[in-house]
Amino acid sequence: MDGVLVDTEPVHFIAYIKHFKELNIDVSEEMYQTFIGSSTKNIYKRIKEHFNLPQSLQELIVRKRELFYKAFNEIVTDCKTIKTGHYKTNSQQSQ
């Protein structure tokens, strides 16, 4: 174990995909795989250059962070709901 307490890569993936859709850019799976382990700043430097985006590097980073925090909070809320027993399956909800 390397000290990682929470694997947030799936949450970063959600945030990036949502941001790429907002930016109307098509990042291939192959390109995305090269981002794993890189800093957000380095990823957006490459994205900005590759897609010739007009936004500043800081604007891109801030928006991605907003999307990340939103996705992370939604997951945490879902986990709390399941833990406290307020979660109902689809079949339970229709009863």
Side-chain angles (χ1 to χ4, degrees):
M1 186 127 210
D2 65 359
V4 173
L5 298 177
V6 177
D7 179 8
T8 58
E9 183 56 40
V11 186
H12 283 285
F13 177 76
I14 291 166
Y16 279 118
I17 296 306
K18 286 183 178 183
H19 198 200
F20 297 158
K21 284 182 183 179
E22 285 181 4
L23 295 169
N24 198 30
I25 59 175
D26 184 24
V27 176
S28 68
E29 185 176 338
E30 294 79 21
M31 184 178 205
Y32 184 82
Q33 290 299 315
T34 68
F35 298 160
I36 296 175
S38 297
S39 70
T40 301
K41 183 178 181 179
N42 286 335
I43 290 168
Y44 276 108
K45 279 182 182 177
R46 291 177 54 202
I47 291 288
K48 184 173 171 49
E49 182 180 309
H50 184 83
F51 292 99
N52 197 26
L53 297 176
Q55 296 87 343
S56 72
L57 190 57
Q58 188 62 28
E59 289 172 315
L60 295 167
I61 292 169
V62 166
R63 180 59 184 148
K64 189 272 184 170
R65 284 187 185 148
E66 292 170 349
L67 292 167
F68 173 85
Y69 292 134
K70 182 175 188 247
F72 187 83
N73 287 331
E74 288 172 359
I75 291 168
V76 169
T77 299
D78 288 347
C79 289
K80 286 180 183 177
T81 300
I82 291 168
K83 184 177 179 184
T84 60
H86 294 102
Y87 176 79
K88 293 184 178 182
T89 63
N90 286 337
S91 62
Q92 289 172 323
Q93 289 175 359
S94 63
Q95 294 177 355

